[in-house]
């Protein structure tokens, strides 16, 4: 087992939740189910990474900074000059939301750009979130999961089903 690479990698989307506080105020919160899972695993002391792509703007900067703070392996986090993926939460109770992300950065995640030999270190790969319903990313992630499974990597899946997707 190669200890140079993370043992746990969560693949999918990192996004920004835009939450409406009242008629005139909004707040932004970095999130995305697969990105959150990577952070939790790092908190447990497991060498972890988030495999996905984020934008090169203020929203991507916030995701990057939180990834650094969580001690995620940043070699798996790609940045693209594309728009951010946003979850617009316009009502909190009960939650009502929609996604904005046509041709957004997350869709441009490139598996071929990951560090050479990374598969030797990974023990567990997690896939989930809305990324599995967003093409062409979904096809790339499913193919990656199949490849890792054949290599003996444990694969977990969180459907995180969203009607909007």
């Amino acid at each position: 087992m190669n200890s140079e690479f993370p043992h746990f990698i969560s693949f999918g989307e990192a996004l920004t939740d835009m939450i409406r506080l009242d008629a005139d105020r909004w707040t932004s919160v970095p999130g995305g189910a697969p990105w959150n899972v990577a952070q939790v695993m790092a908190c447990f002391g497991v060498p972890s990474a988030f495999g996905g792509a984020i934008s090169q703007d203020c929203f991507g900067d916030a995701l990057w900074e939180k990834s650094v703070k969580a001690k995620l392996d940043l070699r798996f986090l790609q940045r693209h000059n594309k728009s951010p993926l946003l979850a617009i939460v316009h009502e909190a109770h009960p939650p009502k939301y929609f996604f904005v992300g046509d041709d957004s950065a997350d869709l441009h995640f490139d598996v071929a750009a990951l560090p050479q030999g990374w598969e030797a270190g990974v023990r567990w790969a997690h896939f989930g979130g809305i990324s599995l319903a967003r093409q062409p990313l979904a096809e790339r992630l499913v193919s990656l999961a199949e490849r890792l499974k054949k290599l003996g990597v444990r694969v977990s899946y969180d459907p995180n089903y969203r009607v909007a997707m």
Side-chain angles (χ1 to χ4, degrees):
M1 189 68 53
N2 187 334
S3 62
E4 178 186 338
F5 291 110
H7 297 162
F8 177 86
I9 305 172
S10 183
F11 293 95
E13 79 280 348
L15 54 75
T16 300
D17 290 307
M18 295 297 300
I19 303 168
R20 187 177 191 181
L21 300 175
D22 57 39
D24 299 318
R25 295 181 311 132
W26 293 76
T27 189
S28 63
V29 179
W35 181 73
N36 289 334
V37 169
Q39 289 183 91
V40 169
M41 292 301 288
C43 286
F44 288 145
V46 177
S48 300
F50 167 72
I54 59 175
S55 56
Q56 295 177 343
D57 57 16
C58 60
F59 298 112
D61 291 346
L63 288 160
W64 183 269
E65 290 166 14
K66 291 245 180 189
S67 298
V68 169
K69 192 173 185 178
K71 297 185 169 95
L72 295 178
D73 187 325
L74 300 175
R75 295 175 292 179
F76 295 79
L77 181 54
Q78 300 167 6
R79 299 205 64 184
H80 295 286
N81 189 20
K82 294 286 185 177
S83 61
L85 176 59
L86 302 174
I88 309 299
V89 184
H90 55 94
E91 288 187 35
H93 303 289
K96 292 185 181 174
Y97 55 86
F98 60 91
F99 297 95
V100 177
D102 296 348
D103 197 36
S104 53
D106 61 302
L107 297 176
H108 295 271
F109 177 66
D110 182 2
V111 174
L114 295 175
Q116 186 173 0
W118 68 272
E119 297 96 336
V122 66
R123 297 178 186 165
W124 181 11
H126 177 75
F127 296 83
I130 64 171
S131 59
L132 296 172
R134 291 173 47 81
Q135 294 297 356
L137 179 60
E139 186 176 319
R140 286 189 296 251
L141 293 180
V142 169
S143 177
L144 176 60
E146 290 170 342
R147 188 174 94 217
L148 291 174
K149 183 72 175 168
K150 287 178 184 174
L151 293 173
V153 175
R154 289 184 200 102
V155 174
S156 63
Y157 163 68
D158 171 15
N160 201 355
Y161 180 77
R162 297 289 193 261
V163 174
M165 289 282 129

